[in-house]
Amino acid sequence: MFSGSIYKRCKCTEPKLDDVGQPVLDPNGIAKTRELGTRCPELKRREHGSWYYYVNLPDGPRGERRRPRKGGFLTRAAAQQAALKLWSEANHGIKVESRETVEQFLRRWLKNRVDLKRKTRCDYADFIERLYVPALGRLTMRELRTRHIQAMFEDIWAYNKVKEANRKRAEQARNACEAARQAWRAAPAPRPPDLRRRWDEAKATLKETRAQPRQDTGPGTQKRILDALSSALKAAVMEKLIAENWADEVVIPKYEKPRALVWTEERIARWRETGERPSSVMVWTPELTGRFLDAAAGHRMYVMWHLQVFRGPRRGEAAGLMWAEVDMAKGAVNIVQQLVSDTSHRLFEETPKSRSGRRTIALDSATHELLRAWRKVQEAKRVEWETKHRENPEKYGPYVDSGYVFTQDNGTPWHPDNVSKVFDRLLKRLDMPPIRLHDLRHCAASLSLAAGLSMKAIQALLGHATFTLTADTYSSLMPQFEKEAADAPVALVPRAQVQTHPELVPASPTDVKVEITLIKGTGDGDKARTAA
């Protein structure tokens, strides 16, 4: 049964008196005062003072008295309702007297999450320090509510608008810089100094605008931010710090995983006209893939990209591949680790994303031979670098025997982010329809589908955790499969030998009669013949 009290008090004061009724003075000679509290005669007025409660809880484990109290309620009913809620939560084990702040809890929670991978831990730490603590850290866990988390996301959306404005300014600065450059180059020699000055000023402005935040916090990242906080608050519910997970009712933009689309001729034409990609995830046709491989054959990263195109490792898995995990005799590689980076761009090794990510990939004969050749190139580059080091040790440091398959000239592995940047620059130089480096993995899946591999085999090749993920991503990827699926129902319907459709004939100023005739096929569906 509820044990406590509801009462009214105010902040009015009266002089503090000693035992003989004289005012008590502080060291400066000023009379001390004390609050009247519940003794104020003005409390009978409805608008004077506010309502408080205190609740008698069972004594603590050391016999300490537990009487939490709170005031500031406008009505007696509101104070009573809050007191009953506190009493109910306390009886369900909630730590109603805890004063732990959101900041203190989140840092303690992350410290205790020893099960997290390093990359995930870095991401969570970034969310805590950059987002959660500034927006929520000052609150106690008992004070936290859904509205506070919702306000944090509203701030994210407002900042996205600032970033959008920054992007527009950067684009304007880029155009102005290009115009200044063209004006300088088009000027006859000797070129006027003011043209060079304008170009230098335009470059400085461009550098300044590009330094401003421009990357949106999109729906996918917002979902990760909310999911991480929800995971932390779920732990708080289990600890009985809060009664419910306040992140559950937060509303954010709906995130839909982008669908992989193929670069068809029509999409390429539209992209060249507008510069817009149909999807953030794009895949090349076999013809485009061949064009890229032919153009990149002399590039220092060609062997890595060839491996990704045909065998589909993630970029971190390719960058983190060790020679010790390459079986040249059997023609297979073991994916046992990947190279990833934290928010500070620092590189470290980590296990694959999931248990199914640890896999053995059989090499095709072309990639197998390329790896043999690359190993000889790598050894030659090592000899060359060690010679440079002996001749000029101040400029060339010692060779790093890292053991990685894909390395720079000094033996250190490639940073996955840098591999992506080099890839993007090469595509721009080749005027290829743009894809992400990760999309080479989708190319591997689409080529495997076209070659007749089953979805289960592709799941094993890519290291997907579930069959559903593979099927949902790649079921409708290749256009020829969609065409076959579209033609199949037509082939089942019997049709007359010849049919003419005059209403489909377009008007012609020369009155040329066009006739569309259907010729009965022999199992491949009806074929169309147009006669003029």
Side-chain angles (χ1 to χ4, degrees):
M1 181 177 292
F2 174 76
S3 176
S5 177
I6 311 297
Y7 58 95
K8 196 177 185 184
R9 63 170 294 162
C10 68
K11 298 291 185 179
C12 295
T13 61
E14 65 178 359
K16 189 176 182 180
L17 305 178
D18 57 17
D19 294 340
V20 295
Q22 296 297 318
V24 178
L25 304 179
D26 63 16
N28 296 322
I30 301 175
K32 294 184 178 180
T33 61
R34 61 182 178 183
E35 291 184 357
L36 289 174
T38 58
R39 298 179 292 106
C40 180
E42 298 293 322
L43 288 178
K44 295 180 181 180
R45 294 167 48 202
R46 183 175 182 180
E47 68 276 8
H48 191 77
S50 60
W51 289 92
Y52 286 70
Y53 71 75
Y54 76 80
V55 178
N56 286 320
L57 299 179
D59 291 345
R62 296 180 179 84
E64 64 270 21
R65 193 178 185 187
R66 300 171 65 208
R67 292 182 64 181
R69 65 183 67 231
K70 187 176 181 180
F73 298 97
L74 295 179
T75 64
R76 180 186 183 91
Q80 188 172 22
Q81 183 179 4
L84 290 173
K85 184 175 184 296
L86 183 76
W87 173 265
S88 176
E89 290 178 351
N91 279 275
H92 283 84
I94 303 298
K95 300 174 182 177
V96 296
E97 293 179 295
S98 171
R99 302 302 298 171
E100 186 173 29
T101 65
V102 174
E103 177 181 359
Q104 293 168 338
F105 167 75
L106 288 175
R107 288 179 174 152
R108 177 172 63 83
W109 168 78
L110 184 61
K111 181 180 179 181
N112 293 335
R113 287 297 306 271
V114 295
D115 58 320
L116 295 177
K117 288 188 175 183
R118 182 173 173 179
K119 180 67 166 68
T120 305
R121 176 179 295 278
C122 290
D123 289 343
Y124 284 4
D126 177 57
F127 294 159
I128 289 173
E129 301 303 329
R130 184 170 54 89
L131 296 171
Y132 305 153
V133 169
L136 312 170
R138 68 189 184 282
L139 301 170
T140 65
M141 292 297 290
R142 296 284 302 144
E143 294 170 336
L144 182 65
R145 293 294 184 272
T146 296
R147 66 179 182 274
H148 300 126
I149 305 173
Q150 190 72 60
M152 179 184 72
F153 280 97
E154 290 172 359
D155 290 341
I156 291 175
W157 303 335
Y159 196 32
N160 276 345
K161 293 182 179 180
V162 174
K163 293 176 181 177
E164 182 181 3
N166 291 342
R167 286 197 301 273
K168 291 180 179 179
R169 284 194 291 269
E171 181 64 20
Q172 293 170 355
R174 189 188 69 82
N175 293 336
C177 185
E178 180 62 20
R181 186 182 76 90
Q182 293 293 347
W184 181 81
R185 295 190 62 181
R191 296 184 176 95
D194 63 318
L195 291 181
R196 182 69 195 199
R197 177 179 51 78
R198 291 174 190 173
W199 185 18
D200 290 339
E201 290 174 352
K203 286 192 292 184
T205 302
L206 178 60
K207 182 179 181 180
E208 181 182 346
T209 57
R210 283 181 170 175
Q212 300 301 315
R214 291 175 290 145
Q215 183 65 43
D216 267 355
T217 303
T221 304
Q222 291 181 43
K223 184 177 184 302
R224 289 174 54 221
I225 293 170
L226 183 59
D227 287 348
L229 182 58
S230 179
S231 177
L233 295 186
K234 181 180 178 181
V237 172
M238 295 179 66
E239 287 187 32
K240 302 296 184 180
L241 285 175
I242 53 178
E244 57 186 288
N245 190 333
W246 301 112
D248 287 346
E249 300 301 322
V250 174
V251 179
I252 61 175
K254 185 177 181 181
Y255 170 69
E256 294 183 357
K257 190 174 181 180
R259 181 186 178 190
L261 297 178
V262 178
W263 274 116
T264 61
E265 292 183 4
E266 294 77 11
R267 288 170 178 159
I268 293 174
R270 178 65 177 172
W271 163 70
R272 294 194 185 283
E273 179 183 349
T274 64
E276 298 176 358
R277 302 188 191 188
S279 171
S280 59
V281 181
M282 299 301 297
V283 183
W284 286 329
T285 60
E287 293 75 19
L288 288 171
T289 304
R291 175 184 159 193
F292 165 75
L293 291 175
D294 290 342
H299 199 280
R300 55 184 173 175
M301 294 184 183
Y302 172 73
V303 181
M304 182 193 295
W305 293 336
H306 191 281
L307 175 66
Q308 290 177 273
V309 164
F310 291 105
R311 307 316 294 154
R314 299 173 177 89
R315 70 170 192 176
E317 294 171 347
L321 182 62
M322 307 287 288
W323 281 117
E325 299 301 333
V326 179
D327 190 335
M328 296 301 291
K330 295 182 179 179
V333 297
N334 300 310
I335 304 298
V336 297
Q337 68 175 26
Q338 59 179 337
L339 283 181
V340 294
S341 60
D342 57 18
T343 54
S344 300
H345 205 63
R346 290 174 297 190
L347 203 60
F348 55 90
E349 297 173 353
E350 194 167 73
T351 56
K353 291 183 65 175
S354 63
R355 184 176 180 180
S356 55
R358 297 176 63 94
R359 62 200 187 278
T360 298
I361 299 176
L363 296 174
D364 60 276
S365 57
T367 306
H368 192 184
E369 290 304 315
L370 282 171
L371 283 174
R372 287 185 188 276
W374 170 248
R375 193 162 197 174
K376 295 178 181 178
V377 171
Q378 192 180 53
E379 286 299 324
K381 287 184 176 295
R382 174 174 185 166
V383 173
E384 180 182 351
W385 185 272
E386 289 177 341
T387 301
K388 292 179 179 179
H389 171 62
R390 286 194 300 270
E391 296 174 352
N392 190 353
E394 294 183 0
K395 182 176 181 182
Y396 299 96
Y399 185 85
V400 180
D401 188 9
S402 62
Y404 288 98
V405 173
F406 303 110
T407 59
Q408 304 177 65
D409 291 349
N410 67 346
T412 57
W414 287 103
H415 195 296
D417 290 346
N418 293 338
V419 178
S420 293
K421 292 176 182 178
V422 172
F423 179 77
D424 293 341
R425 287 197 296 266
L426 179 61
L427 294 192
K428 189 173 183 179
R429 188 165 70 247
L430 297 177
D431 196 29
M432 293 281 297
I435 64 172
R436 303 171 303 164
L437 178 63
H438 185 78
D439 293 336
L440 291 182
R441 183 171 161 83
H442 301 315
C443 288
S446 64
L447 291 171
S448 299
L449 274 173
L453 268 69
S454 67
M455 281 290 180
K456 195 66 179 176
I458 295 173
Q459 177 194 353
L461 173 68
L462 300 182
H464 281 167
T466 64
F467 176 84
T468 303
L469 174 61
T470 309
D472 289 349
T473 305
Y474 301 116
S475 290
S476 59
L477 192 58
M478 295 301 286
Q480 59 264 39
F481 300 150
E482 298 178 1
K483 184 70 169 72
E484 291 172 3
D487 286 342
V490 179
L492 297 176
V493 179
R495 303 298 301 276
Q497 193 71 16
V498 177
Q499 290 187 350
T500 303
H501 303 275
E503 68 275 11
L504 296 180
V505 179
S508 173
T510 57
D511 294 326
V512 177
K513 183 177 180 181
V514 179
E515 185 179 274
I516 299 177
T517 306
L518 295 178
I519 304 174
K520 189 66 176 178
T522 59
D524 294 330
D526 296 345
K527 299 180 180 179
R529 181 177 66 190
T530 303

